[in-house]
Amino acid sequence: GAVVSQHPSRVICKSGTSVKIECRSLDFQATTMFWYRQFPKQSLMLMATSNEGSKATYEQGVEKDKFLINHASLTLSTLTVTSAHPEDSSFYICSASTLGARTYNEQFFGPGTRLTVL
Amino acid sequence: AQSVTQPDIHITVSEGASLELRCNYSYGATPYLFWYVQSPGQGLQLLLKYFSGDTLVQGIKGFEAEFKRSQSSFNLRKPSVHWSDAAEYFCAVAVNTNAGKSTFGDGTTLTVKP
């Protein structure tokens, strides 16, 4: 149980285009989803926290107009990189968590999406 | 704010040797602690977690970790490393039971020599 999927796993796009990444919790309802960015050989940097039905909370320094996050249901969150540029190339990872006596504070991670902007 | 330090950027061990990866955290109260493993190009897999109770926790793949409050540490250990254990290891701390928000260390790269 507690499987999180991401789609696509890899995307290559031209500079100036927008890219949407989906994060789905397959077998549980995720009250909270997180979006991370990871540069090569580096740790995960939290970009934003999203709760179903409400606006995402962005970390300091993350442009909310560039990284649009939507958490429309308890099983789906999307990250849209708008007007992507080469510096946005990175590995994007989502995670999902749910309130519960046994799973509180545990995040279940998706497999990641490799974005390359040409 | 909480922080996590993984002092070792890169560790190399021989297959069959024991392993210890260090993790220190900074937080005023008892945090929730996690160890994750990441293979190249993959997401994170939870190895083990500590919430409360027994300070020695067992995880998957033969890993264990011990929470030491006095040292603010949560070191990961394995008695005998396998070549397939080569990966990136991240220690993480969470302090808010409702948000689930975690802070990650910078990671330790494990190389296993044949």
Side-chain angles (χ1 to χ4, degrees):
Chain A
V3 178
V4 176
S5 70
Q6 277 184 248
H7 178 79
S9 58
R10 186 181 297 267
V11 57
I12 300 173
C13 69
K14 293 182 179 180
S15 186
T17 61
S18 294
V19 175
K20 179 184 284 188
I21 302 170
E22 293 186 348
C23 177
R24 293 182 185 271
S25 55
L26 299 184
D27 51 3
F28 67 101
Q29 293 185 325
T31 50
T32 305
M33 286 187 170
F34 302 89
W35 286 96
Y36 294 87
R37 183 173 182 176
Q38 186 181 32
F39 291 103
K41 305 292 185 183
Q42 294 189 24
S43 187
L44 279 71
M45 182 192 79
L46 179 65
M47 299 175 67
T49 303
S50 74
N51 293 293
E52 184 265 338
S54 62
K55 289 184 178 180
T57 301
Y58 290 81
E59 296 298 302
Q60 190 172 7
V62 178
E63 300 175 62
K64 59 183 177 182
D65 294 331
K66 181 166 187 63
F67 299 100
L68 301 179
I69 292 171
N70 183 277
H71 193 162
S73 75
L74 286 172
T75 60
L76 173 65
S77 176
T78 59
L79 167 67
T80 301
V81 184
T82 61
S83 187
H85 291 284
E87 58 265 30
D88 299 323
S89 298
S90 191
F91 193 53
Y92 292 88
I93 303 176
C94 75
S95 71
S97 71
T98 182
L99 293 177
R102 297 190 180 197
T103 59
Y104 60 90
N105 253 342
E106 180 172 351
Q107 296 180 49
F108 303 97
F109 286 84
T113 296
R114 172 74 59 195
L115 170 63
T116 302
V117 184
L118 302 177
Chain B
Q2 69 275 15
S3 65
V4 180
T5 302
Q6 292 181 245
D8 305 302
I9 297 173
H10 195 169
I11 283 184
T12 300
V13 298
S14 298
E15 189 168 16
S18 63
L19 170 71
E20 182 170 35
L21 302 181
R22 296 183 291 166
C23 173
N24 293 97
Y25 68 90
S26 173
Y27 182 60
T30 301
Y32 302 96
L33 297 160
F34 308 84
W35 273 101
Y36 295 91
V37 61
Q38 183 182 35
S39 296
Q42 303 293 316
L44 273 67
Q45 181 181 25
L46 179 68
L47 288 175
L48 47 77
K49 59 183 181 282
Y50 172 77
F51 286 169
S52 64
D54 192 346
T55 56
L56 183 63
V57 294
Q58 303 297 319
I60 62 171
K61 303 185 180 184
F63 286 93
E64 66 176 28
E66 185 171 12
F67 169 60
K68 292 186 177 180
R69 185 191 306 274
S70 61
Q71 299 177 18
S72 297
S73 69
F74 188 58
N75 295 347
L76 181 71
R77 299 193 295 251
K78 185 169 184 177
S80 178
V81 170
H82 188 262
W83 64 266
S84 60
D85 293 324
E88 188 79 13
Y89 290 80
F90 292 98
C91 180
V93 58
V95 297
N96 185 319
T97 57
N98 292 325
K101 182 175 171 178
S102 295
T103 299
F104 286 81
D106 289 337
T108 298
T109 301
L110 174 64
T111 298
V112 180
K113 294 190 302 184

